[in-house]
Amino acid sequence: MTDPTGFFEKLHREYGDIAAYEVPGTRYCAIFSSELLGELMEKDSAFPPSYPRSRYDVVKSPGLARMRGDDHHRLGEIIASAFAPDRMRVHADILAEQVEEHCGRLQAEEGVDIRYFSECLAWEATFGAVFGRDMRAAPEVARTLASAVKLGYLLSALPGGARLARLPLPYMLRALRASKELDELAYRAIERARDPEHPGHDVVSHLVRAAASGRFNWRFENDTRVRDEGFSLVFISYETQIIPLVYSAYYLTRNPAVRERLEREADEVLGDRPLEGADFPKLRYAQAVFNELIRVQSPAQTLVPRPAVEDSVLGGYFIPRGTVIQTPLPVLHLRADYWERAGEFLPERWLRDSPEGASGCPVHAFAPFSRAPRACLGAPFATALVVFTLAALARRFRIEPVAQEIPRRMSADVAFFDGPIRVTVRERATTPA
Ligand code: HEM
């Protein structure tokens, strides 16, 4: 519990690509190889992801990530189309403006909490993309809800916790108030999606209209289903985007040549004008930095646990029904036999025309966004958000962490930090090259 990555590294070192272990009441099996991850994804119906449930879930309907088979496929097609290239061009224009606004408010000073900066940006961008840019709620609302859900899981896992979790505890009352505030915005967004005058750039409008068009053979029974899908998208994702933004301060400070190359690219592409959505394809080095950040510090530390729903086989081993499969991504992402100079921060490995060549790793060895058929549908959005922010920050600032030690995260699966993360923000003009 205190060092899940260390635990998984040790299992891999001692037992190889697949290892079984038990905690009281549950039998687990961890996998550490590209081939086994590929096999797990092929056998999605035998090992479907199991998202924990809590009484305080703001989302009551199953939601895409919890669905299986044909339902998962049909709803997945609609949601994927909300991030298809033509719609991504609109998201990118809006993201570019939001990133400019947030970076424009940043001041050169000591002690800035980069986690809070990233949280405000990721929350506004994600909630805005899903429900409409004008639908704004303070990031504290999101944090209250996210903490309540996590606390709910934690309590339910304790002996007698299920009973405790039913009491009207203060955190739960706060969460209920927060969810009412978001509900009001969500239902307003759904209502106006049906108004032909509304431009409909937001994901919820796309879902409502795409389902009504009949093209996807999918219908939402009621507005609560649409609201739940929108909330799932926001809550599944906004925290994950904070991780690479926070870690960039550490990895760029430790790798000055990378930072200088990123700054050169930002200067060349952006000059003195504001960032635009169309800049995305030109920010190739920033994209490589993003890939490398999510390789060395995968936002999801493990894929969602996958219990075997029937007796099955994985990697030639018998897996009894109920065994929970864990896929710790940091082990895969840092395997010395998969990655050249695995322990180094080397964005160049992602550039096809550089001597290091495109990563060259086995096909499933890089899975920060999971793999098909469960691959993250918001990957293009998250990539654009982080790449734009890296470029906009690099053009103006150098950001250095106050504490040198790379911050650890609080749990094996959910990717969040405990408390503020302080950095010093300096204007580049005053920074010696
Ligand atoms: C850096 C940011 C992000 C990372 C690292 C990330 C990672 C992941 C991972 C690992 C999964 C699969 C979990 C599993 O199967 O075990 C996933 C699923 C998903 N993600 Fe993301 N995600 C990010 C951002 C986003 C964003 C911004 C959105 C949308 C706004 C999004 C939407 C989804 C959806 C809809 C699924 C479910 C796919 C399915 O079950 O078919 N994600 N994400």
Side-chain angles (χ1 to χ4, degrees):
M1 291 293 278
T2 53
D3 179 19
T5 302
F7 168 71
F8 286 128
E9 277 165 358
K10 187 162 180 275
L11 271 190
H12 178 227
R13 243 186 347 264
E14 292 184 5
Y15 298 96
D17 286 348
I18 181 162
Y21 59 98
E22 266 185 43
V23 295
T26 313
R27 197 184 154 83
Y28 286 91
C29 173
I31 58 169
F32 305 106
S33 80
S34 165
E35 293 75 15
L36 286 167
L37 175 53
E39 189 180 337
L40 182 72
M41 291 296 152
E42 270 170 31
K43 296 181 174 170
D44 183 62
S45 54
F47 301 102
S50 163
Y51 287 79
R53 276 259 177 231
S54 136
R55 274 191 89 232
Y56 309 115
D57 277 355
V58 275
V59 175
K60 301 285 183 215
S61 38
L64 174 75
R66 288 192 169 97
M67 285 179 180
R68 301 185 191 172
D70 192 40
D71 278 355
H72 174 258
H73 179 72
R74 283 185 298 133
L75 180 57
E77 279 194 325
I78 294 204
I79 295 182
S81 70
F83 298 102
D86 57 326
R87 296 196 64 87
M88 261 319 294
R89 275 193 284 279
V90 181
H91 290 309
D93 285 339
I94 298 173
L95 277 174
E97 277 178 35
Q98 288 169 321
V99 166
E100 278 288 345
E101 262 174 47
H102 281 257
C103 295
R105 285 202 290 270
L106 203 60
Q107 306 250 336
E109 59 184 314
E110 284 177 19
V112 174
D113 178 5
I114 193 168
R115 170 190 155 175
Y116 187 64
F117 167 81
S118 309
E119 187 176 19
C120 293
L121 173 56
W123 170 249
E124 187 183 311
T126 317
F127 194 78
V130 173
F131 291 104
R133 196 181 169 180
D134 53 335
M135 299 289 173
R136 286 169 186 248
E140 286 72 19
V141 174
R143 199 187 274 186
T144 306
L145 273 170
S147 320
V149 172
K150 283 166 202 158
L151 253 159
Y153 296 153
L154 252 155
L155 275 183
S156 322
L158 294 174
R163 245 173 297 134
L164 202 62
R166 253 177 241 129
L167 299 174
L169 301 171
Y171 80 89
M172 184 199 145
L173 299 176
R174 274 198 303 275
L176 281 176
R177 273 199 301 276
S179 93
K180 286 216 176 76
E181 191 175 332
L182 291 189
D183 267 353
E184 208 262 310
L185 299 172
Y187 285 114
R188 199 144 36 96
I190 296 167
E191 189 54 43
R192 77 172 173 186
R194 301 194 178 93
D195 175 357
E197 300 286 305
H198 175 60
H201 298 320
D202 51 287
V203 173
V204 151
S205 292
H206 177 73
L207 298 186
V208 169
R209 292 172 186 187
S213 75
R215 270 186 302 136
F216 290 92
N217 191 17
W218 178 268
R219 53 181 286 277
F220 294 101
E221 292 92 20
N222 49 42
D223 286 358
T224 304
R225 281 302 310 273
V226 184
R227 171 254 191 216
D228 281 4
E229 222 47 65
F231 276 7
S232 297
L233 281 174
V234 172
F235 285 106
I236 208 172
S237 70
Y238 95 98
E239 282 190 301
T240 48
Q241 298 168 103
I242 299 169
I243 308 301
L245 292 174
V246 167
Y247 281 124
S248 67
Y250 290 83
Y251 285 87
L252 294 179
T253 302
R254 287 175 174 211
N255 296 276
V258 172
R259 180 170 63 188
E260 277 160 31
R261 190 166 174 185
L262 183 67
E263 290 171 354
R264 266 200 312 280
E265 181 182 82
D267 291 347
E268 280 163 22
V269 173
L270 308 179
D272 286 332
R273 65 165 173 77
L275 190 69
E276 291 167 4
D279 291 325
F280 181 79
K282 292 176 237 154
L283 295 168
R284 290 184 56 237
Y285 194 65
Q287 290 174 40
V289 171
F290 171 65
N291 273 345
E292 192 64 346
L293 283 168
I294 59 175
R295 180 183 74 88
V296 295
Q297 289 291 344
S298 180
Q301 294 280 281
T302 58
L303 292 185
V304 174
R306 286 160 158 81
V309 292
E310 58 204 43
D311 287 348
S312 303
V313 172
L314 203 55
Y317 290 92
F318 174 67
I319 309 284
R321 178 168 177 259
T323 308
V324 178
I325 311 296
Q326 290 281 30
T327 312
L329 296 176
V331 176
L332 273 171
H333 287 183
L334 293 168
R335 269 182 71 150
D337 53 340
Y338 285 172
W339 303 88
E340 251 177 64
R341 298 158 72 189
E344 288 176 46
F345 186 75
L346 200 62
E348 280 69 12
R349 72 173 87 244
W350 299 101
L351 299 175
R352 285 187 187 280
D353 51 7
S354 77
E356 289 82 1
S359 77
C361 67
V363 62
H364 299 294
F366 183 60
F369 291 115
S370 190
R371 311 291 305 184
R374 294 277 172 185
C376 172
L377 301 181
F381 181 90
T383 307
L385 172 67
V386 179
V387 164
F388 283 159
T389 312
L390 290 174
L393 290 176
R395 179 174 49 174
R396 235 186 96 194
F397 298 115
R398 283 195 172 169
I399 296 183
E400 286 150 16
V402 169
Q404 291 313 306
E405 203 183 322
I406 291 189
R408 284 161 50 115
R409 279 169 279 160
M410 276 178 64
S411 93
D413 49 358
V414 189
F416 63 102
F417 298 102
D418 184 16
I421 296 177
R422 303 280 173 204
V423 294
T424 303
V425 178
R426 291 185 215 287
E427 290 279 356
R428 248 179 74 197
T430 63
T431 312

